[in-house]
Amino acid sequence: DVIYPETDGEPMAETDVHYAWMVRIRDQLDNHFRGQRVYIATNLLLYYVPGQPRFSVAPDEFVVLDCQPGMRRVFKTWEEQRVPDFVLEVTSLSTQRKDEVEKRAIYEQIGVREYFLYDPTADYLQPALCGFRLDRAQRLEPLAPQPDGSLLAETLQLTLALAGDDLVLRDARTGRILPTRAEAEAAGKKAEALAKRAALRQVEAEAAAKQAALRQVQAEAAAKEAEALAKRVALRQVEAEVAA
């Protein structure tokens, strides 16, 4: 039996900064594709040659479209009948050459459609964000930035851009920044609270309008009663004059 190890003995991230970005990006992708038939993995060993466990790679982040989500110990392309559509590496001093040369060659070989590199410290990669797309010759060629400087990931319909040194992921169709699950829940609670306050203000406004209408009715009734009283007084006056 062929054994496919579940670890390559390498650390998940070189620094806290790199780890934090890997976790954040994974959280954003998980939240964005929640409920869809999309598999997302972080630093999971991917095997791409049956029976040859030495042929493996561990992408920092990879996304496989039209693939059953769920927990896996490793990802075997021949069993899944899929290869990653999107790969992103959070590059660092120790991984720069591997990410730019060795992994790019592997991803090109197995047919990864889009490959992105991000350097959160902007120390090892210039520019700090770059991307590649598989062309008709099955080569990962550099992506040209869009007019706003962002890079389009066609596979996921996302744009990737830098805000300072920070990576910003947006939905290419709506322009909305991808939130993490916690951010989405916080935004939902805030929106719910705002909606409740708006509903309360509407109820209060309706109550105030009803009170104003009631006061108007009471004022009109008082005016009619005063008019009727004046008429009665006038009538008695006439009667008194006639009697005299």
Side-chain angles (χ1 to χ4, degrees):
D1 291 338
V2 179
I3 297 175
Y4 296 90
E6 297 170 6
T7 178
D8 57 6
E10 297 292 332
M12 179 175 177
E14 185 170 298
T15 70
D16 286 345
V17 172
H18 293 81
Y19 176 80
W21 273 107
M22 290 169 66
V23 171
R24 176 173 176 79
I25 294 166
R26 171 62 185 273
D27 198 345
Q28 289 175 292
L29 293 173
D30 275 341
N31 185 65
H32 184 67
F33 290 106
R34 184 171 46 183
Q36 300 182 46
R37 185 176 163 79
V38 177
Y39 176 68
I40 303 167
T42 300
N43 199 45
L44 188 79
L45 273 171
L46 181 149
Y47 291 94
Y48 52 93
V49 178
Q52 300 292 330
R54 70 179 184 278
F55 292 107
S56 68
V57 64
D60 288 341
E61 313 283 352
F62 71 90
V63 180
V64 189
L65 302 176
D66 191 25
C67 185
Q68 184 64 35
M71 306 295 286
R72 289 165 172 76
R73 303 181 75 91
V74 295
F75 191 95
K76 301 173 186 175
T77 59
W78 61 93
E79 289 185 358
E80 303 283 351
Q81 293 296 297
R82 292 284 187 279
V83 299
D85 295 278
F86 170 97
V87 171
L88 186 148
E89 298 285 359
V90 182
T91 195
S92 62
L93 177 62
S94 65
T95 66
Q96 178 189 6
R97 176 172 173 75
K98 182 181 289 186
D99 293 339
E100 291 188 86
V101 180
E102 297 174 24
K103 284 190 173 181
R104 179 179 170 183
I106 292 172
Y107 298 146
E108 188 175 87
Q109 174 189 342
I110 67 176
V112 171
R113 293 165 60 192
E114 288 180 316
Y115 177 40
F116 291 85
L117 289 167
Y118 168 53
D119 176 5
T121 61
D123 290 330
Y124 317 113
L125 192 65
Q126 295 299 327
L129 173 67
C130 62
F132 306 86
R133 182 175 296 135
L134 205 65
D135 64 10
R136 292 182 179 179
Q138 299 301 296
R139 294 186 63 84
L140 283 169
E141 293 297 331
L143 283 175
Q146 299 193 103
D148 63 357
S150 65
L151 299 175
L152 174 63
E154 289 182 346
T155 53
L156 306 187
Q157 280 299 295
L158 299 178
T159 61
L160 294 79
L162 292 176
D165 292 336
D166 292 345
L167 177 64
V168 179
L169 301 180
R170 292 180 182 272
D171 186 321
R173 290 160 291 200
T174 66
R176 184 179 66 93
I177 294 177
L178 269 60
T180 63
R181 183 161 189 166
E183 290 168 346
E185 290 175 352
K189 289 179 181 178
K190 183 178 180 179
E192 183 180 356
L194 289 173
K196 286 182 178 179
R197 287 199 291 271
L200 178 59
R201 287 195 293 270
Q202 179 65 24
V203 170
E204 291 172 342
E206 291 174 357
K210 288 180 180 179
Q211 290 176 351
L214 178 59
R215 287 194 294 271
Q216 179 65 25
V217 169
Q218 291 172 337
E220 291 174 357
K224 288 180 180 179
E225 185 177 350
E227 182 181 358
L229 178 59
K231 286 180 179 180
R232 288 196 297 272
V233 170
L235 179 58
R236 285 196 293 271
Q237 179 67 26
V238 171
E239 289 173 345
E241 290 176 354
V242 170

